[in-house]
Amino acid sequence: MRPVFEPASPRLFALPHGVDFPREFVAGFLDRYARLTPEAIARVTIFLNSERMRRSVTDAFVATGARLLPRLRLVTDPLGGMPVPGMPRPVSALRRQLELLQLVRPLLDRADALSPGATAFAMAESLAELLAEMQTEGVGFDRIRALDVSGQSEHWAKSLTFLSIINGYLGPNAEPDPAGAVRHAVEALARRWAANPPSDPVIVAGSTGSRGSTALLMQMVAMLPQGAIVLPGFDANLPPQVWQSLGDVMTAEDHPQYRFRLLCEALGIQPDAVKAWTDTKPPAPHRNKVVSLALRPAPVTDQWLVEGQHLSSLPEALADVTLIEAASPRREALSIALILREAAEQGVAAALITPDRMLTRQVTAALDRWGIIPDDSAGRPLGLSAPGRLLQHVAGLMGKRVMFDTLLALLKHPLSFTEGDRSYHLLLTRDLELSLRRCGPAFPDGTHIQVWAAARKDADKALPWAKAVAAILDQASAAASAPMPMLVATHLALTEAMARGESETGTGRLWDEEAGRQVHAAMMALALDADAGGVLQVSEYGDLFASYISQGEVRDAKVVHPGIRFLGTIEARVLGSELVILGGLNEGVWPDQAKPDPWLNRQMRRDAGLLLPERRIGLAAHDFQMAMAARRVVLTRARRDSDAETVASRWVNRLTTLVDGLPNRDGPLALEEMRARGKIWEDRAAQLESPVGPVMPAIRPSPRPPVAHRPDRLSLTQIERLIRNPYEIYARQILRLKRLDPMRPEADPRLRGTVLHEVMERFVKERPLDEPRAAARQRLMDLTLEILTANVAWPSARLLWQTRMESALDGFLDFETAEAGIPLAVEVDGDLPLPDLGFHLIGRPDRIDILPNGKALLIDYKTGQLPTKKQQKDFAKQLLLAAVMAEDGGFGDLGRIEVERIVYLGLKEGLPTEPTDLTPELLASTRDGLRRLIGQYARRGQGYTARRAMFEVKDISDYDTLSRHGEWDISFPPEPEDVG
């Protein structure tokens, strides 16, 4: 083969910002190699930086016509899949982390551990990352041990104890992990080329050399007789003095061109020796100069004022740049979606570049309304796929008591019970949900579900289903610490059983489609490496699995829009889009926050030859500079997220500051125009979400149903609701709408009242005659513990409520002694008819005692605030009405009972009481008030007004959403409306 390049080496080429790198690279390649035979071209080796770049370069070659292609390899696989002679077989990253985990645990168990709050998994993960970086950069452990640690020797001694763990993985005969395997492959290639340099061309294209192994490969290729490097996004606008200022890694690593400066220094050439690969000019050269100046290193930003005066007119240079500073992430996503929709309608190739996966999901959802499915290069995390979610749900069950919302999420999963009759499975799941939300328990087990199924009319069909669910629940809750292979096998078996359902064989649709196949492969890989995990707690396994499954990605097979793409930041090098949107430009998102290193500080990293945390920022800055060079650019950010005000990305901040500070070049006007163009899209997004016409708020309802449909009986407590919030009686008694407990039950005041009432009821009913005070006290404490244990699943709530009862015990026993009443009835049902009104007052007072004078004492236990006498007079009439029922013979066999007084007892510290002595006048007034109230609602013209007289404005009713409270408030007059 005749040489293509001049004998001089090394040879560095570059393509400018903004060009279609794959297409221009192929064009330059064919131009240089046009005279070579097809066979000679097939012997050319090209190393590319990513799989997507390889696909794009392949497509660019194919687009030029039929030909033999060069050998296209990745810089991460320089030998093309061939093993390195003499190198042990590489181990997976997961196995390496699990191996380190076994070594970290004993050290953490020591009293002098590095960090008492550290977790073994986090430590093992950080050590694995450090080990991978040391292998990539070619740093031996001797350099770590030799670091100058004056002033921090005690801390360093502890750190070195942990770091010494990785020394055994760095020897020449140690099994490398994937990062080490790449380094070994590059070094093997170097030895091969040193002995026999290839005569065929070798090219590295599209890489910045940000990692040590890649930089070594690029240096080797550049020195070959027919080797060449083609750099992406080389900034030819930087003057020599700026290139010189990039020599200090501590201040320059976050600059987008720092890696190129480092490569030139390693090759012994100056940056001006980098030649153009093609003659193609960038689409926006004036804008590129502005961006280059804006991204100058911090120590030389004083050059803005000097060199900024030589820029072309800024409104012209930035004419195709739009800046959207949206009010919220949702508004940002909708603005981007509108821009992409317009691009799709006009046939313009457009790309959204962002590291923010939440933003891409929001934009995807917004585009879905117009039937536009973008080509998302990242796909979906395996953990968010249907089989991945099911596996995570099952992992969350293992070794735990299952709350019913977790159980329902599992049963409702689209892959659950897919081997048999799924429609019947969903029917039973719905019925079980209604039962659990109405009656509990909060933590159902297999026995409860089978008892529930056995009580159904279709028990013959429901019981096999219940037994299948029960078996899964019982096996999952029984899982305990075990060797990791057993945990993986149990996890897999439980998941397949859930997907299978009642069938004895099969796995349902669990492993169907692309996501299922990839998740299954991931589980097989996990099982293969599980032997290195040792014995794990179930919770540890759950954390490990969640981290593991989130690392993989799956691309669903679906028809996507050919012109709308979502790309990661590194893929800005593969751009071929006329319109580029840079989204999520906030600090902490783009660039991401530098990850703290628990082992080495910045100075120690530099001295050891490792990468600084700013390396990622420098790479992100390079990707930003590449994307900013497209023909049309849109910059987007949200001024506020869900928590607080955001801070604009440092690059947006630099660009706007530079432009705004150059009035002689019309910079403020250019910035105003950029924002004005962005405001147009944000206004359109706001308009898209705005109602077409004016929306009138809902009225304050006061429905008037037919009298025949109004309730003919209400309980003592419902009378207070009828007074305070009549709408609640309408919704509950007439519409028959009942409140369901929340999906995630809590130890709320309602449950507290129920269980403490049960304690008092059983105490009084089971109390023997002449029981000594000490025995009564102990029995009441024992009852409290027994009932709380049986009915309250939350340990903290049990302890709190038990303490509450204990603080009220002595006050209650004092009350019992002082009153000297004999319990006549406990929780007895009463029914007082009002024949002339066609109405029945029903109720069940907590307790009726007979006093020594033969009169009655009515008692009501309260776990909340006690009603005052004024509140009892107008609203809280529960005990007063109970007294009327007793006086009028409403308690059946008890006959007519004269009531002397009523008392509310507060079941808390000190046992506060609210007694009321009854008089004939008070009882007559209560009786007349009841008749007037019921008579009033027996008229068609009386409406059930919402929130008529709530105790506090902030009080919440179960039916506030139904009445659309919030669109109206108590200042709105009720609007009566005939219904039914």
Side-chain angles (χ1 to χ4, degrees):
M1 175 185 293
R2 294 175 55 191
V4 174
F5 300 117
E6 298 296 329
S9 63
R11 285 170 292 276
L12 264 65
F13 300 90
L15 283 168
H17 299 91
V19 301
D20 185 338
F21 187 93
R23 184 166 59 85
E24 288 300 321
F25 169 74
V26 170
F29 176 89
L30 295 178
D31 182 60
R32 283 177 168 77
Y33 292 88
R35 62 179 181 271
L36 297 183
T37 63
E39 295 83 358
I41 289 180
R43 292 197 299 270
V44 176
T45 301
I46 301 175
F47 294 100
L48 300 167
N49 69 306
S50 68
E51 183 60 46
R52 189 177 186 93
M53 179 71 83
R54 179 159 65 177
R55 291 197 305 267
S56 299
V57 168
T58 301
D59 293 342
F61 270 116
V62 171
T64 63
R67 67 177 70 250
L68 294 176
L69 297 181
R71 291 187 289 245
L72 302 179
R73 295 180 181 174
L74 299 179
V75 294
T76 54
D77 184 19
L79 295 181
M82 299 295 292
V84 178
M87 184 187 77
R89 183 178 179 179
V91 301
S92 68
L94 174 64
R95 174 172 285 272
R96 181 54 37 85
Q97 183 177 346
L98 292 175
E99 291 171 348
L100 291 172
L101 175 64
Q102 304 311 309
L103 300 175
V104 164
R105 274 180 166 159
L107 295 177
L108 278 179
D109 291 338
R110 296 180 183 176
D112 59 345
L114 182 67
S115 173
T119 65
F121 279 112
M123 300 286 275
E125 184 179 11
S126 63
L127 282 174
E129 292 174 355
L130 178 61
L131 174 61
E133 184 180 346
M134 291 175 66
Q135 294 175 95
T136 299
E137 302 302 317
V139 175
F141 190 74
D142 291 341
R143 294 176 66 176
I144 301 293
R145 186 183 290 113
L147 290 173
D148 180 12
V149 293
S150 55
Q152 47 184 335
S153 55
E154 182 178 355
H155 176 80
W156 177 244
K158 294 180 180 179
S159 298
L160 198 60
T161 303
F162 282 86
L163 292 176
S164 62
I165 292 174
I166 65 179
N167 189 28
Y169 296 100
L170 294 171
N173 298 322
E175 294 179 332
D177 55 27
V182 174
R183 183 78 184 197
H184 280 298
V186 172
E187 292 173 346
L189 201 57
R191 293 190 294 269
R192 182 188 305 174
W193 286 349
N196 185 21
S199 57
D200 299 317
V202 180
I203 304 171
V204 177
S207 178
T208 60
S210 62
R211 294 191 175 275
S213 54
T214 308
L216 178 61
L217 176 64
M218 294 170 70
Q219 295 169 28
M220 291 160 34
V221 169
M223 302 302 295
L224 292 175
Q226 287 297 303
I229 307 295
V230 184
L231 302 175
F234 182 81
D235 190 354
N237 295 312
L238 285 181
Q241 63 270 23
V242 177
W243 281 109
Q244 293 303 318
S245 70
L246 298 180
D248 185 3
V249 62
M250 299 293 282
T251 60
E253 178 133 21
D254 62 349
H255 191 272
Q257 301 294 306
Y258 171 74
R259 289 292 156 186
F260 297 154
R261 163 73 170 76
L262 209 62
L263 178 62
C264 291
E265 183 179 355
L267 295 175
I269 63 176
Q270 293 299 316
D272 56 8
V274 178
K275 305 302 181 183
W277 181 251
T278 67
D279 296 331
T280 303
K281 302 300 179 184
H286 297 302
R287 188 200 310 151
N288 289 351
K289 292 181 180 179
V290 176
V291 176
S292 174
L293 183 57
L295 297 182
R296 292 281 174 89
V300 296
T301 49
D302 58 297
Q303 298 166 359
W304 286 4
L305 295 176
V306 178
E307 296 188 30
Q309 308 304 322
H310 303 297
L311 295 173
S312 61
S313 170
L314 290 178
E316 180 182 349
L318 301 173
D320 290 323
V321 178
T322 299
L323 176 59
I324 298 177
E325 296 174 306
S328 66
R330 176 179 175 84
R331 188 64 55 83
E332 178 188 11
L334 196 53
S335 301
I336 294 172
L338 286 169
I339 296 172
L340 293 175
R341 176 194 175 186
E342 182 183 74
E345 290 176 345
Q346 296 176 354
V348 175
L352 168 61
I353 300 177
T354 180
D356 188 349
R357 297 304 301 161
M358 181 59 70
L359 178 62
T360 59
R361 294 187 191 112
Q362 289 177 316
V363 175
T364 300
L367 288 173
D368 187 59
R369 72 175 70 188
W370 303 302
I372 299 174
I373 302 176
D375 180 6
D376 191 345
S377 65
R380 283 186 303 154
L382 277 184
L384 295 182
S385 65
R389 284 184 181 276
L390 183 60
L391 282 160
Q392 290 189 81
H393 284 319
V394 173
L397 296 180
M398 294 171 61
K400 298 178 182 177
R401 295 178 65 192
V402 181
M403 190 171 283
F404 73 66
D405 66 323
T406 305
L407 172 62
L408 293 173
L410 187 66
L411 294 176
K412 291 182 179 182
H413 191 281
L415 293 179
S416 294
F417 281 68
T418 51
E419 190 71 37
D421 186 356
R422 180 160 169 81
S423 60
Y424 186 64
H425 161 76
L426 293 176
L427 172 65
L428 291 174
T429 300
R430 184 203 66 180
D431 292 347
L432 177 62
E433 176 183 353
L434 293 175
S435 173
L436 290 174
R437 294 182 69 177
R438 286 173 178 156
C439 310
F443 294 87
D445 57 17
T447 301
H448 174 86
I449 294 175
Q450 293 185 75
V451 169
W452 170 83
R456 290 176 58 90
K457 294 180 180 179
D458 56 349
D460 57 330
K461 293 181 62 179
L463 266 176
W465 176 87
K467 289 179 180 178
V469 175
I472 295 170
L473 284 183
D474 294 343
Q475 291 176 36
S477 62
S481 59
M484 187 174 169
M486 291 181 60
L487 290 175
V488 174
T490 300
H491 184 199
L492 193 58
L494 287 171
T495 306
E496 291 182 340
M498 179 56 67
R500 177 171 60 246
E502 301 174 49
S503 301
E504 296 182 358
T505 59
T507 58
R509 298 199 301 269
L510 179 60
W511 308 128
D512 292 353
E513 302 181 356
E514 183 61 25
R517 289 187 286 272
Q518 291 201 30
V519 171
H520 185 262
M523 288 301 296
M524 294 301 100
L526 181 64
L528 185 64
D529 291 330
D531 61 290
V535 177
L536 296 179
Q537 299 289 335
V538 178
S539 59
E540 291 178 323
Y541 173 75
D543 294 340
L544 183 147
F545 178 77
S547 174
Y548 171 72
I549 199 67
S550 66
Q551 296 172 6
E553 291 180 344
V554 59
R555 287 175 59 88
D556 295 324
K558 56 187 177 182
V559 179
V560 299
H561 194 287
I564 306 298
R565 296 185 294 169
F566 289 176
L567 305 175
T569 54
I570 194 173
E571 293 166 321
R573 307 174 196 176
V574 199
L575 277 178
S577 302
E578 179 180 345
L579 171 64
V580 173
I581 304 171
L582 282 66
L585 284 167
N586 282 326
E587 283 294 308
V589 178
W590 194 1
D592 194 3
Q593 293 180 346
K595 189 176 181 180
D597 186 347
W599 309 109
L600 306 171
N601 60 32
R602 295 176 73 251
Q603 184 68 42
M604 296 166 71
R605 280 184 155 271
R606 189 196 71 169
D607 295 344
L610 295 172
L611 303 171
L612 296 185
E614 288 78 9
R615 179 189 73 90
R616 292 184 179 274
I617 297 177
L619 293 177
H622 180 264
D623 299 334
F624 174 81
Q625 189 175 18
M626 290 277 290
M628 275 295 297
R631 191 173 303 279
R632 292 168 52 198
V633 176
V634 179
L635 309 176
T636 76
R637 59 175 292 261
R639 297 192 303 272
R640 184 179 181 87
D641 60 14
S642 58
D643 298 322
E645 294 287 336
T646 59
V647 177
S649 168
R650 63 192 66 188
W651 306 309
V652 173
N653 196 14
R654 279 170 164 260
L655 180 63
T656 55
T657 302
L658 169 65
V659 173
D660 197 37
L662 295 174
N664 293 338
R665 310 308 300 159
D666 293 328
L669 175 61
L671 183 58
E672 181 182 350
E673 291 177 346
M674 289 166 56
R675 285 178 167 146
R677 290 189 286 270
K679 188 67 166 55
I680 293 173
W681 289 106
E682 189 178 1
D683 290 344
R684 289 177 180 175
Q687 184 178 2
L688 187 64
E689 291 192 315
S690 300
V692 177
V695 177
M696 298 301 294
I699 62 172
R700 184 180 184 183
S702 183
R704 298 185 300 199
V707 174
H709 292 275
R710 301 192 181 199
D712 60 359
R713 63 182 54 228
L714 291 174
S715 69
L716 296 171
T717 55
Q718 288 171 340
I719 293 297
E720 181 175 355
R721 295 194 184 101
L722 183 63
I723 297 171
R724 288 197 178 277
N725 189 11
Y727 188 84
E728 186 170 343
I729 299 299
Y730 167 74
R732 173 63 186 258
Q733 303 297 322
I734 301 175
L735 298 184
R736 304 293 182 186
L737 299 176
K738 298 181 180 179
R739 173 189 182 272
L740 285 177
D741 287 336
M743 284 296 298
R744 177 167 284 273
E746 298 177 351
D748 57 11
R750 187 176 306 199
L751 177 62
R752 181 184 65 196
T754 300
V755 296
L756 296 189
H757 272 72
E758 183 179 350
V759 170
M760 303 309 298
E761 178 184 353
R762 284 189 53 187
F763 173 78
V764 174
K765 282 184 176 181
E766 299 172 5
R767 185 173 187 177
L769 294 175
D770 301 325
E771 182 179 28
R773 179 186 177 99
R777 192 180 193 282
Q778 185 60 48
R779 190 168 59 85
L780 187 51
M781 292 177 61
D782 293 343
L783 273 175
T784 301
L785 181 59
E786 175 189 341
I787 293 173
L788 286 175
T789 302
N791 295 279
V792 182
W794 298 267
S796 58
R798 285 201 302 268
L799 180 60
L800 182 64
W801 296 349
Q802 182 180 356
T803 303
R804 181 189 183 106
M805 278 297 295
E806 289 177 356
S807 67
L809 285 180
D810 291 323
F812 176 73
L813 294 175
D814 289 342
F815 171 83
E816 292 279 283
T817 303
E819 293 296 335
I822 299 175
L824 178 63
V826 178
E827 298 285 350
V828 63
D829 291 326
D831 185 343
L832 178 63
L834 302 177
D836 55 326
L837 296 175
F839 181 82
H840 288 256
L841 177 64
I842 59 176
R844 180 188 297 174
D846 291 339
R847 179 172 162 186
I848 302 175
D849 282 10
I850 295 297
L851 300 174
N853 60 7
K855 296 182 181 180
L857 168 67
L858 270 61
I859 300 172
D860 188 74
Y861 305 119
K862 290 292 185 185
T863 56
Q865 293 296 321
L866 303 185
T868 64
K869 289 182 173 57
K870 184 176 181 180
Q871 291 169 354
Q872 294 178 48
K873 179 178 180 296
D874 296 322
F875 303 104
K877 295 180 174 292
Q878 181 179 352
L879 274 187
L880 287 173
L881 289 173
V884 170
M885 291 179 66
E887 294 261 350
D888 294 350
F891 291 105
D893 295 340
L894 298 183
R896 294 177 179 269
I897 308 171
E898 185 178 355
V899 181
E900 181 173 292
R901 65 181 177 274
I902 60 175
V903 61
Y904 289 95
L905 299 183
L907 297 181
K908 52 187 174 182
E909 185 176 3
L911 195 79
T913 62
E914 186 63 49
T916 301
D917 292 327
L918 299 183
T919 63
E921 293 78 16
L922 179 57
L923 289 173
S925 173
T926 302
R927 188 178 290 107
D928 292 342
L930 173 65
R931 296 183 64 86
R932 286 196 305 271
L933 179 67
I934 301 304
Q936 187 175 356
Y937 279 93
R939 301 197 306 266
R940 173 71 170 184
Q942 177 62 45
Y944 289 82
T945 301
R947 300 178 66 89
R948 174 183 170 273
M950 302 294 284
F951 180 69
E952 290 186 352
V953 174
K954 65 181 181 181
D955 284 351
I956 299 174
S957 165
D958 293 336
Y959 301 95
D960 281 342
T961 302
L962 182 65
S963 68
R964 296 173 66 175
H965 176 243
E967 296 183 45
W968 55 268
D969 57 39
I970 59 173
S971 65
F972 283 50
E975 299 284 346
E977 181 182 7
D978 290 335
V979 295

